[in-house]
Amino acid sequence: MKDLNENIIAVKSMDYAVRCMRLAKFLRETYHEYDLASQVLKSGTSVGANVREALRGQSRADFRAKMNISLREANESQYWLELLKRVGFLSETEYQSMFEDCTTLCKLLMSIVRSTSESIERNKQQQSKQ
């Protein structure tokens, strides 16, 4: 397996987690908003935590399941970002920047889940032919 610093999904999910931590701090300090800050922090950091778990998965199916959890967390994170923009806690520029990063993660994760699913299915078909 590649070094984590060479794995694009590991790097991007860590970078996104750092941004979410900073956003949570900003929400707490600027707006005294603790509940939404906690939601952003939880979903944003969970993406990378599940990616890390997936990279050390016990099987291809385990890998796929954990990457799928990461995708769900990234989708949840998009929801919180949109809500923060709608209530005025994020400017359009701040929102767009974070949302684009999260969308990139979602696209990568969807591709990983899809290709892993296809690979698992091909292996099953090959095994059933033997």
Side-chain angles (χ1 to χ4, degrees):
M1 185 178 76
K2 290 187 208 177
D3 180 279
L4 288 175
N5 292 325
E6 296 175 16
N7 185 306
I8 191 71
I9 193 68
V11 170
K12 286 188 176 291
S13 62
M14 176 61 79
D15 291 345
Y16 185 71
V18 169
R19 292 194 75 190
C20 287
M21 289 183 70
R22 290 181 180 148
L23 175 56
K25 181 179 179 188
F26 168 78
L27 292 170
R28 289 178 178 132
E29 290 177 355
T30 305
Y31 296 104
H32 304 286
E33 180 51 64
Y34 298 95
D35 294 332
L36 287 174
S38 293
Q39 293 289 350
V40 167
L41 184 62
K42 180 189 170 296
S43 64
T45 57
S46 183
V47 175
N50 281 292
V51 164
R52 285 282 182 99
E53 284 188 39
L55 293 173
R56 301 285 187 226
Q58 297 175 356
S59 65
R60 299 282 292 160
D62 186 39
F63 173 85
R64 178 185 57 188
K66 288 186 172 79
M67 285 296 190
N68 205 36
I69 292 168
S70 291
L71 176 57
R72 288 197 318 258
E73 292 292 342
N75 282 324
E76 180 181 337
S77 186
Q78 285 181 318
Y79 171 83
W80 296 119
L81 291 172
E82 186 175 339
L83 180 62
L84 289 169
K85 182 185 110 206
R86 287 186 180 203
V87 297
F89 289 172
L90 288 178
S91 69
E92 183 65 30
T93 303
E94 293 164 332
Y95 165 76
Q96 284 298 327
S97 176
M98 292 220 40
F99 197 83
E100 285 174 18
D101 284 355
C102 193
T103 299
T104 298
L105 281 172
C106 286
K107 288 177 181 178
L108 286 168
L109 290 163
M110 282 188 281
S111 177
I112 290 166
V113 170
R114 186 180 314 111
S115 64
T116 305
S117 295
E118 291 168 357
S119 173
I120 290 170
E121 189 57 37
R122 275 193 307 273
N123 286 342
K124 283 181 185 177
Q125 289 174 358
Q126 288 173 351
Q127 289 175 356
S128 68
K129 289 179 182 178
Q130 294 175 351

